[in-house]
């Protein structure tokens, strides 16, 4: 009886230890990427605000995953994600990749790939927000789709299209990781909130694409952001309240 109890306790402790340590190797690679010379001062000054290590841990990133980053912009997260999965996994980028394509010639980025080059965002005449073209991301069975501060760029049609593309590209159980600036719940469009999104609306739309809502994080909660001002306003920029949402494609 005592032997069985000791064995059970040992197994539980071992399982908990494995769970705790499973992110360790990935964490070390993230730290190494954050310290890379390829990152500019403009990149590193944002580290404290963006909390890449904790954010990627929350989303469940591992160094052997196949991941795609949608709308990578200037490559702030690309410079972290691509080196982390370079040896054991695979990094893809899609939609609005023009500014990061030059990174593919850098050490640690040789295996990174640009896909779905026919997919892009554009404004229809007379509309403020973007629409999205492209029928597929051209990759399947991905472990994770990530997009950072891009959901607000699109009108409803474009947002739903992006969600559908992400769903199609993921394997069952795959994670859809989304971060954006917070808008007050059910607040109508105005001159100040164009780059903010109601998180309740985002959850509703993403669930309607077929995803399960897994969790949220308050890593980027900012009590002093009153949600009143445009995110580029001097008193707000770099300190906006952002929602951080994790979804899963059902198994």
């Amino acid at each position: 009886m005592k032997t069985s109890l000791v064995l059970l306790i040992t197994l539980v402790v071992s399982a908990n230890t494995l769970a705790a340590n499973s992110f360790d190797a990935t964490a070390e690679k993230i730290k190494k990427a954050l310290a890379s010379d390829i990152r500019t001062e403009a990149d590193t000054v944002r580290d404290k605000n963006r909390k890449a290590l904790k954010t990627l841990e929350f989303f469940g990133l591992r160094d052997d995953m196949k991941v795609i980053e949608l709308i990578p912009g200037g490559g702030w997260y690309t410079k972290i994600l691509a080196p982390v999965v370079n040896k054991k996994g695979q990094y893809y980028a899609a939609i609005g990749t023009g500014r990061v394509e030059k990174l593919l010639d850098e050490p640690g980025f040789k295996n990174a790939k640009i896909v779905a080059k026919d997919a892009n965002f554009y404004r229809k005449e007379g509309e403020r927000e973007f629409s999205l073209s492209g029928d597929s991301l051209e990759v399947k069975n991905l472990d994770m789709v990530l997009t950072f501060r891009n959901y607000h760029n699109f009108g409803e049609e474009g947002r739903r299209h992006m969600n559908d593309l992400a769903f199609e590209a993921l394997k069952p159980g795959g994670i859809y990781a989304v971060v954006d600036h917070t808008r007050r719940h059910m607040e109508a469009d105005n001159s100040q909130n164009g780059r903010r999104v109601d998180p309740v609306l985002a959850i509703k739309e993403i669930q309607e694409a077929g995803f399960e809502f897994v969790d949220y994080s308050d890593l980027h909660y900012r009590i002093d952001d009153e949600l009143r001002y445009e995110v580029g306003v001097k008193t707000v920029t770099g300190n906006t309240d952002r929602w951080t949402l994790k979804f899963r494609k059902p198994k």
Side-chain angles (χ1 to χ4, degrees):
M1 182 74 171
K2 289 182 179 178
T3 302
S4 298
L5 182 58
V6 170
L7 179 59
L8 178 60
I9 292 172
T10 302
L11 288 172
V12 170
V13 171
S14 297
N16 288 339
T17 301
L18 284 172
N21 292 338
S22 61
F23 183 67
D24 289 355
T26 303
E28 289 305 311
K29 291 184 178 181
I30 292 172
K31 292 174 185 176
K32 184 177 179 180
L34 286 167
S36 171
D37 291 340
I38 197 171
R39 303 184 75 230
T40 66
E41 183 179 355
D43 292 325
T44 59
V45 75
R46 292 180 170 90
D47 289 350
K48 183 178 180 180
N49 176 263
R50 294 188 176 177
K51 302 180 181 180
L53 179 62
K54 291 183 178 180
T55 300
L56 295 175
E57 181 179 15
F58 168 73
F59 285 138
L61 181 73
R62 296 296 183 268
D63 61 358
D64 61 350
M65 283 184 168
K66 294 193 299 181
V67 307
I68 190 166
E69 183 183 7
L70 303 182
I71 319 173
W76 195 92
Y77 259 105
T78 308
K79 294 175 183 178
I80 301 167
L81 292 168
V84 167
V85 301
N86 180 58
K87 291 185 178 180
K88 297 171 66 176
Q90 178 65 55
Y91 172 88
Y92 300 99
I95 310 172
T97 59
R99 295 166 64 191
V100 301
E101 290 184 15
K102 61 183 179 182
L103 286 174
L104 273 58
D105 294 325
E106 298 289 340
F109 295 81
K110 298 294 185 182
N111 295 328
K113 297 180 180 178
I114 305 297
V115 294
K117 293 184 178 180
D118 64 330
N120 216 328
F121 51 90
Y122 63 96
R123 279 195 180 98
K124 293 181 179 178
E125 186 175 353
E127 294 193 1
R128 183 175 80 171
E129 296 165 321
F130 287 97
S131 295
L132 180 62
S133 65
D135 297 327
S136 170
L137 295 178
E138 299 177 352
V139 285
K140 300 282 187 179
N141 296 314
L142 297 178
D143 296 291
M144 187 175 289
V145 175
L146 307 100
T147 190
F148 300 94
R149 302 170 311 281
N150 293 306
Y151 205 77
H152 69 262
N153 286 317
F154 298 99
E156 181 179 351
E157 179 183 335
R159 296 193 302 267
R160 290 185 181 278
H161 192 176
M162 182 168 69
N163 297 337
D164 290 341
L165 292 176
F167 190 89
E168 179 189 18
L170 284 165
K171 70 180 185 182
I175 297 299
Y176 188 26
V178 192
V179 178
D180 216 320
H181 306 286
T182 306
R183 178 189 292 198
R184 292 175 176 177
H185 180 47
M186 297 185 72
E187 183 176 61
D189 291 346
N190 61 49
S191 62
Q192 295 294 308
N193 65 15
R195 289 198 285 171
R196 293 181 180 270
V197 179
D198 178 352
V200 178
L201 175 63
I203 292 170
K204 176 180 179 291
E205 291 177 348
I206 294 171
Q207 285 180 319
E208 288 175 350
F211 286 98
E212 300 171 342
F213 176 53
V214 178
D215 204 357
Y216 74 95
S217 172
D218 62 0
L219 274 168
H220 304 111
Y221 169 64
R222 298 292 182 269
I223 194 171
D224 53 342
D225 179 4
E226 300 175 9
L227 312 185
R228 294 173 56 193
Y229 302 111
E230 207 283 326
V231 300
V233 170
K234 187 176 181 180
T235 56
V236 178
T237 188
N239 193 46
T240 57
D241 184 81
R242 281 151 287 150
W243 44 260
T244 305
L245 302 176
K246 181 177 180 179
F247 300 86
R248 177 171 50 230
K249 182 174 179 175
K251 293 184 178 180

